[in-house]
Amino acid sequence: MRKLNLIIKFFKKIIFLLLILFCETSFSHEGHSHGPSVVASVSFDKSGTLWRVREQQGFVIVDSSNDQGLNFSKSINVNTELQKIGTSGDAKPKIAIGPEGNIYVTWTQTLSKPYTGYIWFARSKDHGKTFELPQIAHQDKSEITHRFDAINVNKDGRIFVAWVDKRDLEKAKLQKKEKEYKGAALYYAVSENFGESFKIERKIVDSSCECCRIALTNDSKGNAIAMWRQLYDKGIRDHAVAKIDMNDNIVLNRATFGGWKIDACPHHGPAISRGGDWGYHMAWFDGGDKAGLFYGRIDGDAWVSSPAKRFGNANFQAGHPSLLSINEKVYLAWKEINESGNYIVLAISEDGGKNWLEAKTIKKTEGASDYPELIQFNNKAFLSWNTIKDGYQLMALE
């Protein structure tokens, strides 16, 4: 009987792992359903007010908290007309605060044709009391893929919005070129008048992954730094980093070398954080034979400076990382799932990513939950996490 129970327990474990595999990291293309909307994005302003953006029944809504997430104000709608808003996979509305105090929001509106969308932008100039009429950030209004928005505001208030775009794929189809256009492309638009308008969009690169989120940060001069999953030759999907300066000069570098070959998009984008004058911390997920979550550093415009370090429990789908660097201290958070529920695991380095303390589970819930988000107020780090069962949670990490 004991032997029979062990066999039953073994097969239950196998079934559970298969369910995780199909539910959490099945390599679905954009547009597939990923469950109820539980996504939220947050940012502190200079006074310590926490601003939050979410999707609710076709509207992008914003509210705020003056007690670090315990209580929130009444929410206001940002878009005036009902839209289908991207909240699946790596897609969700974003919020950023400018140095002048403006509140900026971006989101992806899903259009009627499969895998198509527009990138919308809206701003509030009166501390969140009202939002101006939203505008589409790109000039191209074709009903094609403009999806997976990302926003960054630099120290001078310059707004940089990037997204995944398939206009070049559509052109290639029409031209019927001998060489097939692979993947999508990354485009960006810049506002240098605090969101009043955007310059005509420009391309960063061809052949990006189709539906992984784009990670953005700045260098010390305020130039935009982007990290994303790129489609390389022979179907390899590794990551690239680009610096896009104020004059639209673009410096590209390959940042990871996992060699994951897959003919699909994993919906599993990276994270990047500036580490000081030397370069950037990076975290990403790789699949294939060496599936797992990895951390590495890249020195400025050069190449990866240290071997990638593996984090998390691959059996529990460790992934969807968030990174935050404050001086020499580096925070790395990610999500895992096992029989008991969803977990957020945190690892900390106190010497710029050279060595890491033992990772610890710091949050747990049952049911659907968002990916973790690390944010900063002054020199303090916070974990932001939205869940169905336990609601929104903000946790100070000191």
Side-chain angles (χ1 to χ4, degrees), residues 2 13 31 33 88 117 121 124-125 155 164 301 319 353 371 379:
R2 184 174 181 274
K13 181 78 172 179
S33 174
S88 64
F121 168 89
S124 170
K125 296 172 65 179
K155 60 184 179 180
V164 174
D301 297 333
Y371 305 140
N379 279 329

Side-chain angles (χ1 to χ4, degrees), residues 60-93:
V60 173
I61 61 172
V62 169
D63 53 14
S64 63
S65 171
N66 290 316
D67 56 8
Q68 297 193 349
L70 295 177
N71 299 282
F72 279 88
S73 66
K74 182 181 178 181
S75 63
I76 63 171
N77 291 358
V78 178
N79 51 313
T80 55
E81 297 181 357
L82 186 71
Q83 295 180 347
K84 187 175 181 182
I85 296 165
T87 59
S88 64
D90 264 1
K92 65 178 178 179

Side-chain angles (χ1 to χ4, degrees), residues 7 11 13 107 161 185 209 253 257 260 264 274 287 355 360 362:
I7 292 174
F11 278 104
K13 181 78 172 179
W107 68 94
V161 176
C209 201
N253 278 306
F257 299 84
W260 185 14
R274 183 154 62 95
N355 299 282
K360 296 180 179 178
I362 59 171

Side-chain angles (χ1 to χ4, degrees), residues 175-196:
Q175 294 169 356
K176 298 180 180 179
K177 293 184 176 180
E178 291 184 6
K179 185 176 181 181
E180 183 183 1
Y181 187 99
K182 296 286 188 180
L186 294 191
Y187 275 75
Y188 72 97
V190 168
S191 173
E192 294 182 333
N193 54 10
F194 305 102
E196 183 70 28

Side-chain angles (χ1 to χ4, degrees), residues 79-356:
N79 51 313
T80 55
E81 297 181 357
L82 186 71
Q83 295 180 347
K84 187 175 181 182
I85 296 165
T87 59
S88 64
D90 264 1
K92 65 178 178 179
K94 316 288 192 312
I95 192 166
I97 313 296
E100 72 291 332
N102 288 351
I103 301 168
Y104 303 119
V105 173
T106 62
W107 68 94
T108 299
Q109 176 193 6
T110 301
L111 304 178
S112 58
K113 292 182 179 177
Y115 317 137
T116 62
Y118 289 157
I119 307 300
W120 286 86
F121 168 89
R123 70 172 177 176
S124 170
K125 296 172 65 179
D126 56 6
H127 200 61
K129 294 183 179 66
T130 61
F131 275 83
E132 296 175 343
L133 198 64
Q135 58 178 302
I136 297 174
H138 41 87
Q139 302 292 314
D140 177 36
K141 302 298 193 301
S142 306
E143 192 171 357
I144 62 168
T145 290
H146 314 86
R147 305 188 73 201
F148 301 97
D149 54 288
I151 183 172
N152 171 265
V153 184
N154 76 4
K155 60 184 179 180
D156 300 317
R158 184 177 188 261
I159 304 168
F160 184 96
V161 176
W163 63 90
V164 174
D165 194 308
K166 285 187 175 177
R167 71 184 70 181
D168 298 285
L169 170 64
E170 298 299 329
K171 289 178 184 176
K173 288 179 181 176
L174 293 174
Q175 294 169 356
K176 298 180 180 179
K177 293 184 176 180
E178 291 184 6
K179 185 176 181 181
E180 183 183 1
Y181 187 99
K182 296 286 188 180
L186 294 191
Y187 275 75
Y188 72 97
V190 168
S191 173
E192 294 182 333
N193 54 10
F194 305 102
E196 183 70 28
S197 61
F198 282 85
K199 295 181 177 180
I200 296 175
E201 64 266 29
R202 300 175 69 95
K203 182 165 58 177
I204 299 175
V205 68
D206 286 303
S207 297
S208 70
C209 201
E210 295 92 334
C211 31
C212 287
R213 70 186 184 191
I214 307 162
L216 295 178
T217 188
N218 298 113
D219 66 11
S220 59
K221 297 179 181 177
N223 297 312
I225 307 297
M227 181 177 182
W228 70 96
R229 191 184 298 276
Q230 177 73 4
L231 180 52
Y232 291 98
D233 289 343
K234 300 180 181 179
I236 300 298
R237 293 181 189 253
D238 266 311
H239 295 82
V241 168
K243 180 175 77 174
I244 306 101
D245 71 13
M246 308 297 178
N247 297 315
D248 298 311
N249 298 308
I250 299 173
V251 178
L252 288 167
N253 278 306
R254 186 166 176 167
T256 68
F257 299 84
W260 185 14
K261 184 177 181 180
I262 179 173
D263 186 23
C265 182
H267 277 278
H268 213 136
I272 189 168
S273 182
R274 183 154 62 95
D277 294 336
W278 54 264
Y280 305 91
H281 305 279
M282 308 179 298
W284 66 94
F285 174 82
D286 257 342
D289 297 335
K290 300 177 182 177
L293 177 65
F294 294 88
Y295 162 87
R297 304 187 351 161
I298 189 167
D299 286 346
D301 297 333
W303 302 99
V304 176
S305 62
S306 59
K309 178 177 174 58
R310 191 168 184 167
F311 280 89
N313 189 333
N315 291 329
F316 297 153
Q317 306 304 315
H320 300 287
S322 183
L323 265 175
L324 178 65
S325 172
I326 302 177
N327 300 320
E328 284 296 290
K329 207 157 187 175
V330 187
Y331 303 83
L332 172 60
W334 65 90
K335 182 176 175 179
E336 293 185 2
I337 300 176
N338 67 15
E339 299 99 325
S340 301
N342 295 202
Y343 295 83
I344 298 300
V345 186
L346 177 72
I348 295 176
S349 168
E350 297 180 334
D351 58 3
K354 298 182 180 68
N355 299 282
W356 291 81

